[in-house]
Amino acid sequence: MTGSHAGLFGELFVDREMADAISDRALLHGMLGFEAMLARALEAESVAPQGTADAIAGQCDPDFYDIAELGRAATLAGNPAIPLVKALTARVAAVAPEQAKWVHFGATSQDVIDSGHVHVIGCGLKLIDMRLVRLAGALRALAETHRTTPMIGRTFLQQAVPITFGVKTALWLDPLLESRHVLRQMLAEPIVQLAGAAGTLAALGDDGDRLQARFVALTQAAEPSLIPWHGQRHRIARLAAELGILTGNLGKVARDIGLMAQTEIGEVAEPEAPGKGGSSAMPHKRNPVLCTLILAAAERAPGLVATMLSALPQEHERALGGWHAEWPTLPELFKIAGAALAQMITLIEGLQVFPERMRANIDLTQGLVMSERVSLALAATLGKAKAHHLLEEASRACVAQNQHLRDVLASMPAVTEHLTAEALADLFDPTTYRGASDAIIDRVLARAAQAALPRAAAPTRAHGVTDA
């Protein structure tokens, strides 16, 4: 990693791809794209003379501007749009003095910054979508491969009843498909901002309404862009919340895998790699570092989402701090969600699965985890209460005598009167106690197949009006 993203923590918390997608340069590109598109709209509506669009757009290359210098000026001005517009105007004036007065005409700083952030959001969402597609494919493969692989289900961290690893992975996948659906909608419906000083485009007089319509049409933005959103931040907050939900669901998967990878459980392990997961003190250790990093992201996300929600009640027509709080917060959410996704892809694609340990863990209780199934079988003839009482009695004997529950039951006439040895053996086979697991897996896989569209197209101009 290069530049400001390099450091002692490497790519533990943000990866190079996402850092580039939501970088200051990407924001600058989107802000300059706004200015170029505004000039096109002004010229198209005959507000500005012919030649204005080319003169301004020709100076809207991000490489023409020193980000560090703009940042120093922004420290005094209060936002980066003010020094950028000043620098852009100076460059246009140097080559086309008559057109320089049309730079930023009728717009305000928030129009530039919000539209720049829309471009950054589009870049970030495109990358997240591509990663979700890849992760969904890896989880689908796990669910299909381990459809019938028995393992113990756990509730309150205690053994409950057998499930399959296939249904577990399907249930990891399902909420990620939902997040992808929601985020794709947001990617497909970007909204740029052109509203002027107080949201009414008053500086443009009678030209304001048609100029705004032309601007929206040129940027191919969604219809809601015609409504100013300087102080209406619900869409940005909704995006932040969905990124938080996505990161939290990734954390759930990481939590499960981390628990399953414990030495005493040993049902799965993270991918092996030289130098990965070691301990500075204990050479034998193999720490679940990917799970650790994903969970760290899931721990951080709620506070960032809370900041975005706290910024919703903004003052009047322009916020006094709330809008500004969004600037560093939303990119940070993209960073941690993107990094968690990248780490989860590595984790799932290389996950080591140990079916024999899963089966051994089912047998740890000597059949006690199958007591529900036996009780239900006996209830058909003995009634629920009596069957439950018999299984309670047998379970106590199982523990006291250190015998398998099947053997204890086979010695009880009240049981063998209704269940043969073969029937008992079948009842203790976890592979035949799957309930609706296959149907659940099939529904999730069908949803995944339906959602597995081609990778998202490159952002349209509405993702930053990128004709600059």
Side-chain angles (χ1 to χ4, degrees):
M1 191 170 290
T2 59
S4 62
H5 302 295
L8 194 59
F9 291 100
E11 295 194 42
L12 293 179
F13 304 111
V14 55
D15 63 278
R16 187 197 312 263
E17 251 189 320
M18 183 57 79
D20 288 344
I22 61 167
S23 65
D24 286 348
R25 191 182 190 284
L27 178 59
L28 177 61
H29 182 74
M31 293 169 67
L32 287 167
F34 167 87
E35 295 293 352
M37 199 60 65
L38 173 60
R40 293 192 188 285
L42 288 166
E43 183 176 315
E45 290 300 316
S46 300
V47 175
Q50 293 294 311
T52 297
D54 287 343
I56 294 176
Q59 303 305 315
C60 286
D61 186 333
D63 290 338
F64 294 162
Y65 302 88
D66 184 330
I67 289 177
E69 183 179 334
L70 290 173
R72 286 190 290 271
T75 303
L76 294 175
N79 71 62
I82 293 172
L84 177 62
V85 169
K86 182 178 179 181
L88 173 60
T89 302
R91 288 193 64 89
V92 174
V95 296
E98 292 302 312
Q99 275 73 40
K101 66 181 179 181
W102 299 105
V103 173
H104 197 64
F105 189 81
T108 192
S109 295
Q110 186 162 359
D111 294 335
V112 185
I113 295 172
D114 276 351
S115 294
H117 276 123
V118 168
H119 169 69
V120 170
I121 287 167
C123 294
L125 285 179
K126 179 191 173 189
L127 184 55
I128 281 178
D129 186 72
M130 289 191 294
R131 290 180 178 180
L132 276 170
V133 169
R134 182 170 169 183
L135 177 58
L139 285 169
R140 287 173 66 186
L142 267 185
E144 290 164 348
T145 300
H146 294 283
R147 172 185 288 272
T148 61
T149 301
M151 67 172 293
I152 194 65
R154 298 176 174 96
T155 59
F156 295 90
L157 292 176
Q158 305 298 307
Q159 291 203 356
V161 297
I163 59 171
T164 69
F165 189 50
V167 81
K168 190 174 191 73
T169 53
L171 293 175
W172 288 343
L173 171 59
D174 188 60
L176 302 181
L177 294 174
E178 186 171 332
S179 280
R180 180 175 183 249
H181 173 72
V182 173
L183 292 172
R184 278 184 68 86
Q185 284 186 314
M186 294 179 180
L187 180 61
E189 299 173 358
I191 49 167
V192 289
Q193 181 87 278
L194 175 61
T200 62
L201 288 171
L204 293 166
D206 294 339
D207 296 324
D209 188 49
R210 61 187 176 86
L211 181 74
Q212 186 188 51
R214 172 72 73 165
F215 177 83
V216 170
L218 287 171
T219 60
Q220 301 175 5
E223 190 67 18
S225 296
L226 290 170
I227 306 298
W229 48 284
H230 285 169
Q232 313 303 321
R233 314 305 290 181
H234 53 283
R235 297 182 188 89
I236 299 293
R238 187 178 295 129
L239 169 61
E242 193 57 44
L243 290 173
I245 290 168
L246 169 62
T247 309
N249 280 322
L250 294 172
K252 187 273 189 291
V253 179
R255 182 88 71 194
D256 281 358
I257 291 175
L259 291 170
M260 293 169 69
Q262 291 181 102
T263 305
E264 295 83 354
I265 307 299
E267 294 173 343
V268 297
E270 289 196 357
E272 288 186 289
K276 178 181 175 296
S279 165
S280 62
M282 295 167 283
H284 68 281
K285 288 199 72 180
R286 183 176 169 190
N287 294 321
V289 293
L290 291 170
C291 292
T292 299
L293 295 172
I294 295 164
L295 283 164
E299 294 278 355
R300 294 175 63 203
L304 295 168
V305 174
T307 298
M308 297 296 290
L309 294 175
S310 296
L312 274 171
Q314 300 198 0
E315 299 80 12
H316 300 305
E317 284 63 56
R318 188 76 58 83
L320 185 67
W323 174 48
H324 310 76
E326 296 173 0
W327 299 350
T329 305
L330 189 61
E332 190 66 16
L333 266 169
F334 269 102
K335 288 178 185 178
I336 65 172
L341 262 174
Q343 290 150 355
M344 185 59 73
I345 289 168
T346 301
L347 175 58
I348 296 299
E349 288 185 342
L351 187 69
Q352 296 181 324
V353 182
F354 307 117
E356 69 283 357
R357 281 299 297 268
M358 293 179 176
R359 182 58 187 262
N361 287 334
I362 293 175
D363 295 334
L364 279 177
T365 61
Q366 299 201 87
L368 287 175
V369 294
M370 303 304 293
S371 61
E372 175 194 58
R373 187 182 195 186
V374 180
S375 179
L376 290 171
L378 285 171
T381 54
L382 296 178
K384 183 177 180 180
K386 188 171 182 180
H388 188 78
H389 176 73
L390 275 175
L391 263 295
E392 281 185 331
E393 182 183 337
S395 297
R396 284 193 294 269
C398 169
V399 175
Q401 300 167 18
N402 193 27
Q403 280 187 288
H404 197 284
L405 180 60
R406 181 185 58 246
D407 297 331
V408 173
L409 290 169
S411 68
M412 298 174 66
V415 174
T416 57
E417 182 181 348
H418 303 283
L419 295 174
T420 65
E422 292 77 12
L424 270 176
D426 182 64
L427 289 171
F428 279 89
D429 181 359
T431 65
T432 62
Y433 193 50
R434 299 206 306 273
S437 294
D438 287 340
I440 293 167
I441 293 169
D442 287 340
R443 282 194 288 270
V444 175
L445 293 182
R447 185 178 183 185
Q450 185 178 16
L453 304 174
R455 287 187 173 185
T460 64
R461 286 177 291 176
H463 293 149
V465 285
T466 55
D467 276 17

